[in-house]
Amino acid sequence: MTSPAKSTWAGVLRTPVGAGAAGLLAAVLLLAVLAPLLWSDQASAVDTGRILEGPSGEHWMGTDGLGRDIFFRVLVATGLSVGLALLATAVGVGAGLLLGTAPMLLGRRAGRLVTAVVNIAVAFPGLLLALFFAVVFGVGATGAVLAIGFALAPAFARLAQTLVAKVAGLDYVAAARIAGLGRLRLLVRHVLPNIAEPLVVNATIAAGAALLTFSGLSFLGLGVQAPLYDWGRLLGDGLSSLYVHPAAALAPGTAVVVAGLAFNLFGEAIAKGIGMRTTPVLLRPRVRSAPAARPAVTGEQEPVLAVDDLRVAFPGSTPVRGVSFALRRGEAVGIVGESGSGKTLTALALAQLIEEPGEVSADRLDFLGRPLLDLPARERRHLLGTSFAMVFQDPMTSFNPTQRIGRQLAEVSEQHDGLTRGQALDRAVDRLQAVRVPAAARRAKQFPHEFSGGMRQRAMIGMGMMGAPALIVADEPTTALDVTVQRQVLRLLDSVRTADDVALLLISHDITVVRQFCERVLVMYAGRIVEDLPAADLPARARHPYTRALLAAVPDMSTDRERPLAVIPGRPVDPADVPRGCAFAARCPLADEQCTSADPPLVPDEDGRRVACWHADAVTGLPLVAEEVRVGE
Amino acid sequence: MSELTFEGVSVRFGGRRHGLTAVDGVDLTVPGGSVVGLVGESGSGKSTLARAAVGLAPLHAGRILLDGEPVRRGRRSRPALQMVFQDPYSSLDPRMTIGDSIAEATPRRGPARRAEVTRLLDLVGLGADRARAYPGQLSGGQCQRVALARALAGDPRVLIADEITSALDVSIQGAVLNLVREVQRELRLSLLFISHDLAVVRYVSDFIAVMYLGRIVEYGPAEAVLTDPSHPYTRELLAAVSEPVSTGEADPALRAVADVEPADPHAPPPGCRFHPRCPVGPAVLDGRDLCRESEPVPQGHRHLAACHFAAGR
Ligand SMILES: Nc1ncnc2c1ncn2[C@@H]1O[C@H](COP(=O)(O)OP(=O)(O)OP(=O)(O)O)[C@@H](O)[C@H]1O
Ligand code: SF4
Ligand code: SF4
Ligand SMILES: [Mg+2]
């Protein structure tokens, strides 16, 4: 089995930019090794008869003051230029690593001192440091290598410190520490391998910079000394005769730029490749919330929301495969299911927040009697903006961290409702009070990070209530909260619902919470609703094997402590690879041939409860706690 | 079987002025071979207490004893205390095969080591062929099994499990809970089991300790704490998991108390730390000013409860 890192690097090489940069860099490095071996003689052959000549068939880039061929000199200089730049980078990275890992190795007090020194050094511009060190170490190649190396060191030390600190805080380092590993072993085994990737990327880019700086020092006469020569010196020599013979300066100049680019592009390409792996697939969309407006006029019987055969598709997978349900005014409905079952995507699709390349389709998606998918974009925005509120799991990511809470609430009314700044702010304070944020006027002036999790969640609900929402969709609104705070938030949602007759769709992985809070429960599995039943029917009258398994697998306050918990064998379905027939068949104790060949439809019974299972009626007889199945899921 | 004892343990973070005492004078015993469940809200100091036990957080005051002896922690001394963490993915080095991760924690060397890895993988219900897999290739539940195997590799006498199922899917959580219980019984380990989920704690624990703002406010046999909770905070926790959510109290004082924000650990309230939120405290009932003035100590009731009015309600 290959380590995860290798595939990333291979992936980078497959992109056009990555492959191009890698090719260029390989060419430069190859030239650096081979050119001095192959063409040293040609490059140093003096021909006093042909001094300072322009480009010709014999000398492509002309000749210098001693009649030597400039083209060959530039080629041969690759060796010294690249070699010295790499050496300087190595010095810089080495010194940086020593300084950067010192805090971890030396312990807290000495570490703090090192950190302070690095922080001061980082503040100086690199070129200034390089010049300073060049003077200190004296003129010459060795001096220049050390100078550039030490000039690079502070930045690397800082980088290494940050990376080390991040990795050292992870649990696996803690676990190794508990196991008694010494600091040095910890560093070598667990920390360095995990920070190597970004370090190598930065070193590659730094090598490009070192190359440029080195050329600069040599150009100034501080670097490589005659009779040795690198690109910087060739450039210096060429520049004196620039007007007579521009090629003599252009050739080494171009070489510096091309080689510098090769290092830089390659570094950037790898950085992008690594970044790509960590970019989330689905961007957290911005919250949409309701500004003040009249609720749309609707008939009494009309559902707030009617969904028929809703599908959400991404290239290669369809994580929501035909969801149908309706919500009445003032009704509280819960959606439960494990992660990946399509709960959040369903919510996002209702709010029209699915982004490219995702696609939403439905036979019917009516909100307050209007077909959302067919409305012109402006009208749809207005309708959702005025009557639809959404609350997300992590309110920290749904608020702008740089703006005061009150301002963010007020903005909604200002924008959609034409309130003045002052009026809007008053309303914001009023709404914060309505969601029981204590000292609302003072709180409105605070930033999101000054709110506790539960308080932020209330502010989020308050934001949804800046208007008069007909529907609140809450996606795991309490998952990040403690039980007691969770209850506060649920109680708040409940009072909003009963006071204003707002329909509520509560999405949660926690069937216990949904049971306590909702009138009706929709159970989702692999992108479908598999059961729809009154909360009061749980647990005894659940009919779908998955619902029953879920109930048995989660301990509650009456679970028999002497028996092992029931286990659902197997793993959740991968949305990219949904099996034929019933998606639960692989994990279902009742599965038979019919189940694996045809997908059971969601059929209603006379009481309006719905279930999608061929053998639903066989299930109710089974004991709730299934036999224990021990599996390595 | 070993007994783990915390004696007046305090852990402080930060400087004198802006610091906070995350764990404040905690006395707690994990009797040999039994499971103590530790519940409490986020920020109450549960994880800090656990990290202090394994030496990841510095003690400000107090002692941690194993069978009456201070826990020794040296380079090569075999760690008798082991810990399993919450996040299954960050608790394994992504660049090491799981076999190497487990091997690193075993005291054995040479070929015995490989056999030990196989035995441990088998113990947690994974095949020996998985030894060469990287954590990225395993599910969350499987990673948690590996983390457990690694913790068991050092032959610990006491195991600490910090929210080990809260990052897992409900259908997988059950399997991990079964495994932990099985292993604990089989190896007769002492286990400190931390979770914010009271139902989960109830399922695995013999004793239950309730933590609030750095203090243990109630401790006793699981059955007693759950059926007859003495501390109002414990009663709140129990209500949260067993009663349906409703718009709540008609009494405005009770409602106000129910909506109070959790206290700021940087500035714990004086007297009883729970008093601003207590439904039977000074904010609701007259004549309970004592709660604001003096801090109750856990003593004197059927089981330990730090409340002036634990007995009388
Ligand atoms: N390294 C640290 N530096 C400063 N403060 C810290 C540090 N670690 C924890 N804290 C603080 O100590 C308090 C207790 O934290 P701890 O992680 O122990 O809580 P917890 O009960 O485990 O919560 P949760 O249920 O969220 O895991 C919190 O206020 C937290 O912010
Ligand atoms: S249809 Fe068959 S496989 Fe699917 S849940 Fe019902 S019994 Fe199980
Ligand atoms: S001491 Fe007073 S405030 Fe504290 S828990 Fe007991 S009754 Fe409530
Ligand atoms: Mg914790």
Side-chain angles (χ1 to χ4, degrees):
Chain A
M1 290 184 217
T2 53
S3 138
K6 283 179 198 135
S7 51
T8 317
W9 291 75
V12 170
L13 291 185
R14 261 180 251 120
T15 65
V17 178
L24 195 61
L25 187 61
V28 168
L29 293 178
L30 203 68
L31 204 59
V33 175
L34 293 184
L37 299 178
L38 295 179
W39 300 305
S40 275
D41 293 341
Q42 283 99 317
S44 51
V46 177
D47 183 352
T48 39
R50 313 187 67 162
I51 291 171
L52 289 177
E53 267 184 19
S56 64
E58 206 174 324
H59 301 291
W60 291 357
M61 290 294 154
T63 56
D64 69 358
L66 289 176
R68 293 173 296 200
D69 185 282
I70 288 180
F71 181 68
F72 280 120
R73 286 179 76 73
V74 169
L75 286 185
V76 172
T78 311
L80 204 55
S81 306
V82 172
L84 289 177
L86 289 181
L87 206 60
T89 313
V91 169
V93 174
L97 265 182
L98 274 183
L99 286 174
T101 53
M104 182 173 169
L105 288 180
L106 299 181
R108 212 178 293 171
R109 199 150 305 160
R112 222 176 275 160
L113 190 72
V114 175
T115 310
V117 170
V118 167
N119 283 346
I120 295 173
V122 164
F124 286 99
L127 196 62
L128 204 69
L129 276 184
L131 283 174
F132 170 73
F133 282 126
V135 174
V136 171
F137 291 122
V139 169
T142 321
V145 164
L146 290 177
I148 294 174
F150 287 148
L152 285 175
F156 268 96
R158 166 68 75 76
L159 179 72
Q161 265 173 13
T162 324
L163 293 171
V164 166
K166 207 172 110 214
V167 173
L170 290 177
D171 291 341
Y172 59 82
V173 178
R177 202 176 285 174
I178 299 172
L181 253 67
R183 282 178 180 161
L184 194 62
R185 296 265 314 269
L186 269 184
L187 186 71
V188 173
R189 287 188 68 123
H190 291 289
V191 178
L192 287 185
N194 285 299
I195 66 173
E197 220 164 83
L199 274 182
V200 169
V201 170
N202 277 281
T204 312
I205 296 174
L211 193 89
L212 293 183
T213 317
F214 217 107
S215 304
L217 286 185
S218 293
F219 177 82
L220 292 176
L222 295 172
V224 173
Q225 301 297 315
L228 296 175
Y229 56 97
D230 68 348
W231 289 332
R233 262 208 62 218
L234 291 181
L235 193 63
D237 293 349
L239 210 61
S240 52
S241 53
L242 184 68
Y243 295 107
V244 195
H245 175 14
L250 276 183
T254 314
V256 170
V257 170
V258 169
L261 266 181
F263 279 107
N264 253 309
L265 280 180
F266 185 68
E268 299 286 355
I270 296 288
K272 204 159 151 241
I274 297 169
M276 236 148 29
R277 214 177 26 164
T278 55
T279 315
V281 189
L282 196 112
L283 292 173
R284 258 270 168 245
R286 261 188 59 78
V287 179
R288 197 192 303 266
S289 44
R294 311 293 83 71
V297 189
T298 50
E300 272 312 297
Q301 296 310 311
E302 193 168 29
V304 174
L305 183 72
V307 184
D308 205 3
D309 203 20
L310 175 75
R311 292 167 179 275
V312 181
F314 288 94
S317 73
T318 309
V320 177
R321 311 177 296 139
V323 161
S324 309
F325 66 95
L327 270 176
R328 282 180 289 105
R329 272 198 173 275
E331 192 180 24
V333 171
I335 300 186
V336 288
E338 38 200 330
S339 72
S341 59
K343 305 183 300 287
T344 297
L345 283 177
T346 303
L348 293 177
L350 297 179
Q352 304 289 306
L353 286 175
I354 298 286
E355 288 175 11
E356 287 289 314
E359 257 181 59
V360 179
S361 65
D363 285 353
R364 182 173 175 207
L365 181 51
D366 288 358
F367 177 53
L368 295 173
R370 321 254 312 266
L372 280 183
L373 292 179
D374 302 334
L375 284 183
R378 252 186 75 108
E379 244 173 276
R380 186 173 63 206
R381 258 203 315 271
H382 184 75
L383 177 64
L384 289 173
T386 49
S387 316
F388 190 108
M390 180 121 186
V391 181
F392 289 111
Q393 169 169 0
D394 181 5
M396 197 60 207
T397 57
S398 353
F399 277 116
N400 178 347
T402 63
Q403 270 194 11
R404 293 171 205 282
I405 294 273
R407 199 82 278 294
Q408 298 192 45
L409 263 71
E411 202 163 52
V412 178
S413 287
E414 239 172 273
Q415 219 172 39
H416 295 260
D417 222 38
L419 295 190
T420 66
R421 223 182 143 98
Q423 285 170 328
L425 211 55
D426 285 347
R427 183 164 177 80
V429 172
D430 176 69
R431 295 291 84 184
L432 285 177
Q433 239 152 23
V435 294
R436 304 198 202 127
V437 170
R442 185 172 60 80
R443 285 296 197 158
K445 297 202 188 83
Q446 291 185 329
F447 291 95
H449 69 90
E450 296 175 82
F451 275 48
S452 71
M455 213 40 88
R456 269 199 296 267
Q457 210 52 301
R458 289 190 211 181
M460 194 78 252
I461 298 170
M463 189 147 157
M465 288 171 53
M466 285 302 282
L471 170 64
I472 298 178
V473 175
D475 184 8
E476 306 265 7
T478 58
T479 303
L481 306 175
D482 289 302
V483 275
T484 47
V485 182
Q486 171 176 317
R487 245 174 121 67
Q488 293 178 347
V489 170
L490 290 178
R491 221 160 28 210
L492 173 65
L493 281 172
D494 198 53
S495 67
V496 169
R497 173 174 79 90
T498 40
D500 299 335
D501 218 14
V502 179
L504 206 125
L505 189 63
L506 176 74
I507 296 173
S508 176
H509 68 275
D510 188 343
I511 200 163
T512 330
V513 167
V514 167
R515 229 167 96 190
Q516 283 179 19
F517 185 72
C518 297
E519 299 153 78
R520 202 147 58 86
V521 178
L522 308 174
V523 182
M524 269 186 91
Y525 189 77
R528 290 236 164 125
I529 293 180
V530 296
E531 184 157 19
D532 169 2
L533 76 175
D537 282 3
L538 291 174
R541 295 184 62 204
R543 291 157 74 209
H544 197 282
Y546 176 64
T547 315
R548 296 180 69 83
L550 210 53
L551 286 164
V554 183
D556 63 16
M557 296 308 282
S558 56
T559 305
D560 184 352
R561 297 192 44 207
E562 294 316 307
R563 307 185 53 169
L565 290 169
V567 167
I568 308 180
R571 303 181 172 229
V573 172
D574 175 359
D577 185 22
V578 181
R580 229 167 83 86
C582 174
F584 189 57
R587 308 170 79 182
C588 180
L590 296 179
D592 62 10
E593 218 163 293
Q594 185 182 18
C595 303
T596 46
S597 57
D599 203 357
L602 186 64
V603 278
D605 68 1
E606 59 271 25
D607 302 330
R609 299 179 305 168
R610 299 182 295 167
V611 67
C613 172
W614 294 122
H615 307 300
D617 298 313
V619 178
T620 15
L622 285 182
L624 247 189
V625 177
E627 280 304 295
E628 190 211 10
V629 197
R630 192 169 153 183
V631 277
E633 65 302 322
Chain B
M1 284 200 288
S2 288
E3 183 175 86
L4 175 69
T5 315
F6 297 84
E7 265 186 21
V9 168
S10 295
V11 179
R12 280 184 62 82
F13 292 113
R16 209 159 296 146
R17 210 168 329 143
H18 295 289
L20 92 163
T21 309
V23 172
D24 199 355
V26 162
D27 294 311
L28 180 67
T29 302
V30 182
S34 64
V35 185
V36 172
L38 183 60
V39 287
E41 60 194 6
S42 139
S44 58
K46 308 183 296 291
S47 299
T48 307
L49 188 67
R51 296 176 76 89
V54 292
L56 292 174
L59 286 195
H60 180 67
R63 300 192 300 167
I64 298 174
L65 308 172
L66 199 59
D67 289 328
E69 301 273 319
V71 177
R72 278 196 324 142
R73 193 159 294 108
R75 275 291 171 80
R76 295 273 152 248
S77 77
R78 218 177 58 196
L81 268 113
Q82 281 291 343
M83 178 155 167
V84 183
F85 299 86
Q86 169 168 3
D87 180 355
Y89 294 104
S90 87
S91 70
L92 295 174
D93 188 335
R95 299 202 181 227
M96 270 167 98
T97 63
I98 62 170
D100 286 345
S101 278
I102 298 174
E104 185 179 76
T106 64
R108 293 175 186 73
R109 298 281 168 256
R113 202 175 201 185
R114 169 162 291 191
E116 178 70 359
V117 170
T118 306
R119 184 186 73 85
L120 287 163
L121 281 174
D122 186 53
L123 185 68
V124 297
L126 290 173
D129 55 327
R130 289 307 180 91
R132 281 173 34 228
Y134 286 90
Q137 295 161 330
L138 302 184
S139 72
Q142 286 171 328
C143 282
Q144 219 47 325
R145 285 165 193 263
V146 175
L148 183 62
R150 179 184 55 193
L152 295 176
D155 283 332
R157 287 180 283 162
V158 178
L159 192 64
I160 297 178
D162 187 6
E163 300 273 12
I164 53 169
T165 59
S166 56
L168 302 179
D169 244 320
V170 278
S171 68
I172 290 158
Q173 165 183 308
V176 171
L177 285 179
N178 285 345
L179 175 65
V180 166
R181 248 173 48 136
E182 216 169 275
V183 166
Q184 184 266 333
R185 288 187 182 169
E186 207 170 294
L187 306 179
R188 300 169 72 77
L189 289 172
S190 313
L191 174 62
L192 181 62
F193 186 91
I194 301 178
S195 173
H196 66 276
D197 187 336
L198 206 54
V200 168
V201 164
R202 170 186 170 277
Y203 180 70
V204 295
S205 309
D206 306 312
F207 297 86
I208 290 181
V210 182
M211 201 162 177
Y212 185 79
L213 270 190
R215 301 254 163 142
I216 304 286
V217 295
E218 181 154 6
Y219 174 82
E223 217 31 56
V225 171
L226 293 172
T227 53
D228 185 18
S230 301
H231 197 281
Y233 178 62
T234 314
R235 289 203 288 273
E236 289 269 286
L237 288 179
L238 273 167
V241 289
S242 46
E243 287 166 18
V245 177
S246 69
T247 315
E249 310 293 342
D251 181 349
L254 271 181
R255 215 171 70 187
V257 155
D259 279 331
V260 169
E261 239 187 307
D264 174 8
H266 288 267
C272 171
R273 297 182 172 200
F274 188 55
H275 84 248
R277 294 171 67 185
C278 182
V280 294
V284 179
L285 300 181
D286 292 332
R288 297 225 149 156
D289 293 331
L290 177 62
C291 304
R292 282 205 188 91
E293 284 147 19
S294 90
E295 180 154 14
V297 281
Q299 64 180 18
H301 309 286
R302 272 170 311 260
H303 44 268
L304 300 179
C307 169
H308 292 305
F309 301 94
R313 297 260 157 112

